[in-house]
Amino acid sequence: MDTDNGNGNRFPANDRFAAGAQYIAGRLRPGTSGRRHEVIDPATGHPVYSYELAGPADVDAAVAAAKEAFPGWSATSPGERSAALHRLAGVLAERAEEFARAESSQCGKPLKLTREFDVPGTIDNAAFFAGAARHLEGRSAGEYSDDHTSYVRREPIGVVGSIAPWNYPLQMAAWKILPAIAAGNTIVLKPAEITPLTSLLFAEAATEAGIPDGVVNIVTGAGADAGEHLVGHPDVVMTSFTGSTGVGKRVAEIATRTVKRIHLELGGKAPFVVFDDADLEAATHGAVAASLINSGQDCTAATRAYVQRPLYEAFVEQVAALMETVRVGDPFRADTDLGPLISHAHRDRVAAFVERARGYARIVTGGEVPKGDGAYYPPTLVADAAQDSEIVQAEIFGPVLVVLPFDTDDEGIALANDTPYGLAASAWSRDVYRTGRATREIKAGCVWINDHIPIISEMPHGGYKASGFGKDMSAYSFEEYTQVKHVMYDNTAVAAKDWHRTIFGDR
């Protein structure tokens, strides 16, 4: 691949975060684990940042800072929290280019993607939660029994300990932090140790916006020590995790030991169902974009295209032709469409799925590891695999789309539902009754019609089945981050109530 091996365009992480990769009580500090870690630019294979990982002592310090900050922050009015988040959105907007370059440097995302998707989406999330902070409503007061008035309060729950993944480090940090602090909680976030840069920038931006020290804390360490210690910490009352289903099970196991609230956004294997009356050009363009976004490292990416048989061969041919026009290269080049995968190890994992599939399916295009230093893998189209095959059922997390035919509408919907996952899906048809049926019967947290991938701050994101439970974004996220309290007032001023007689005495 044609890459710029110098650091002229990259984010100067070693200088920017020379003080360390832990952000606790409003300042950067080094970790105390005694182990160093390098952040590698996957486009070049070169390190962009070296730091000391967090250990349990750093987690303890961050949780203590969050616990100390909680009484003051939770007592602020919704208006005050809203104003702080509006200021945060402003800081993010002012520093948008810095965030975009940091994200591209650590993830290998094309700069046009970070500039036009990751960063603007995060700014919009901050602006949305600035408004949502003023609408933490409960059920209105009323007399639900003859003698009492009841109402519902929404209250912050305390210190949240969250873990964000490496595929969208900035956006996932925002999805964890913003609803938590908008509701009056404080938070300790552990980003993936391979992609900590934009989480640290986000925490600094929160401080710059006037959010008090200790409200937002970052600990950057490995999952087995820092992550598990955070999830199991007795002063953490909730954990929110985004990542694989396997690790999510481990998080749930640890969290339940101390009866924490748990929010899990886990794996996906999104179906892309094309009925025989679909706009074929729209479906092929949608399939290429939805399968290749973020080099396919997206839980909602289109991974299984089911195409009704009259359109099947044309769909395969046109998707392959379009994939072959995608420009793979240096994320910092203006003409790059597709960057590398997150690491060479992950690239090799993706390639191994395709190599094994050669024994039972047809590799239409792609499927060859390119020469060069970066962790690149080309857009790959696989056809004619069996529904129960590995490449159809397993989460690959790379730029690989599998296409299978179906005959009847019943079969297409059944195939779409035939994996353990249920995070996202799409259906493509000009028939409103067909699409309406798809939205009802496909078991996924989001079903797009004649599109696949767009997300908006006002709408919830979360899955069914092995894709987890709970919602990110939207006002629904406050269900995760607030405690619902029922308050009931006696209206009678009668000391000896009639219902007391069921416990003692006679009527």
Side-chain angles (χ1 to χ4, degrees):
M1 293 298 106
D2 182 14
T3 58
D4 168 17
N5 288 331
N7 290 321
N9 290 326
R10 268 63 176 172
F11 177 75
N14 278 319
D15 293 334
R16 188 67 175 74
F17 297 121
Q22 320 306 323
Y23 196 83
I24 299 172
R27 67 180 183 88
L28 289 167
R29 51 188 268 183
T32 62
S33 69
R35 293 186 291 122
R36 294 197 69 80
H37 183 79
E38 287 187 331
V39 176
I40 303 296
D41 179 346
T44 65
H46 295 169
V48 297
Y49 183 47
S50 177
Y51 69 96
E52 189 163 356
L53 291 164
D58 303 298
V59 173
D60 290 343
V63 172
K67 185 177 180 181
E68 182 178 355
F70 176 72
W73 181 246
S74 63
T76 59
S77 70
E80 290 174 290
R81 295 198 294 273
S82 175
L85 290 175
H86 275 300
R87 293 193 300 270
L88 174 58
V91 173
L92 296 174
E94 290 170 4
R95 295 170 55 185
E97 183 66 11
E98 180 185 26
F99 276 91
R101 289 184 177 276
E103 196 79 332
S104 291
S105 292
Q106 67 182 354
C107 298
K109 297 171 185 275
L111 195 57
K112 69 177 183 179
L113 181 66
T114 58
R115 281 174 172 166
E116 299 177 30
F117 182 74
D118 297 71
V119 175
T122 301
I123 295 167
D124 188 69
N125 284 171
F128 170 79
F129 280 107
R134 303 187 79 147
H135 296 281
L136 285 167
E137 297 176 349
R139 190 180 299 275
S140 60
E143 285 66 53
Y144 298 95
S145 81
D146 292 341
D147 297 336
H148 305 86
T149 295
S150 288
Y151 68 88
V152 170
R153 291 176 53 90
R154 282 195 177 276
E155 297 179 348
I157 58 176
V159 177
V160 178
S162 293
I163 299 176
W166 51 257
N167 59 330
Y168 287 103
L170 175 59
Q171 286 194 311
M172 295 298 100
W175 287 15
K176 303 300 183 193
I177 292 169
L178 291 168
I181 67 173
N185 303 290
T186 56
I187 188 167
V188 178
L189 174 75
K190 193 199 86 66
E193 63 270 28
I194 60 175
T195 55
L197 305 181
T198 45
S199 296
L200 295 170
L201 288 176
F202 192 94
E204 285 187 334
T207 298
E208 187 178 340
I211 294 172
D213 293 350
V215 172
V216 177
N217 306 275
I218 307 294
V219 289
T220 308
D225 44 23
E228 293 197 1
H229 191 66
L230 177 62
V231 172
H233 199 289
D235 289 333
V236 169
V237 298
M238 172 189 167
T239 189
S240 176
F241 169 81
T242 296
S244 71
T245 298
V247 178
K249 291 177 181 179
R250 175 63 176 162
V251 168
E253 176 189 348
I254 296 169
T256 54
R257 295 173 188 168
T258 49
V259 199
K260 297 186 196 309
R261 185 176 298 190
I262 312 171
H263 167 215
L264 301 174
E265 197 263 89
L266 307 176
K269 190 72 177 176
F272 187 102
V273 183
V274 182
F275 294 102
D276 57 13
D277 66 334
D279 181 326
L280 182 60
E281 182 181 16
T284 54
H285 279 76
V288 172
S291 62
L292 301 185
I293 186 171
N294 202 36
S295 297
Q297 299 167 130
D298 186 313
C299 294
T300 63
T303 58
R304 300 177 289 138
Y306 296 101
V307 184
Q308 207 150 23
R309 205 169 293 274
L311 296 183
Y312 179 72
E313 292 299 339
F315 181 89
V316 171
E317 179 181 345
Q318 292 183 31
V319 167
L322 197 54
M323 279 186 167
E324 288 166 5
T325 70
V326 173
R327 298 163 297 185
V328 182
D330 186 346
F332 286 83
R333 288 177 59 106
D335 60 354
T336 293
D337 297 318
L338 192 75
L341 296 175
I342 190 65
S343 68
H344 287 80
H346 185 60
R347 191 270 309 277
D348 294 345
R349 175 184 176 275
V350 170
F353 273 103
V354 177
E355 287 305 307
R356 290 191 294 271
R358 291 185 191 279
Y360 56 80
R362 173 166 56 110
I363 312 304
V364 182
T365 189
E368 299 290 342
V369 176
K371 296 179 180 178
D373 294 331
Y376 290 92
Y377 196 75
T380 299
L381 183 64
V382 179
D384 306 335
Q387 173 65 15
D388 62 355
S389 62
E390 176 192 51
I391 205 159
V392 174
Q393 293 292 323
E395 188 175 28
I396 300 170
F397 228 54
V400 179
L401 177 64
V402 184
V403 189
L404 298 87
F406 69 92
D407 291 304
T408 66
D409 289 14
D410 288 350
E411 182 188 9
I413 290 175
L415 289 169
N417 286 328
D418 185 29
T419 72
Y421 301 106
L423 187 57
S426 65
W428 298 73
S429 171
R430 293 182 173 95
D431 186 327
V432 67
Y433 297 104
R434 269 179 156 172
T435 57
R437 179 188 179 190
T439 64
R440 293 189 302 273
E441 296 187 14
I442 293 177
K443 304 304 180 187
C446 175
V447 180
W448 292 284
I449 300 300
N450 295 323
D451 208 344
H452 191 118
I453 280 299
I455 54 175
I456 50 176
S457 297
E458 291 83 357
M459 290 292 111
H461 176 87
Y464 286 31
K465 303 189 292 184
S467 292
F469 48 82
K471 300 300 178 184
D472 288 311
M473 299 198 297
S474 81
Y476 290 97
S477 65
F478 288 128
E479 301 289 340
E480 317 300 322
Y481 294 99
T482 56
Q483 186 66 263
V484 175
K485 177 185 288 185
H486 169 215
V487 178
M488 177 179 269
Y489 283 91
D490 170 62
N491 293 331
T492 66
V494 173
K497 293 177 171 57
D498 187 58
W499 76 266
H500 293 172
R501 306 286 75 75
T502 64
I503 311 302
F504 65 92
D506 299 317
R507 284 188 173 85

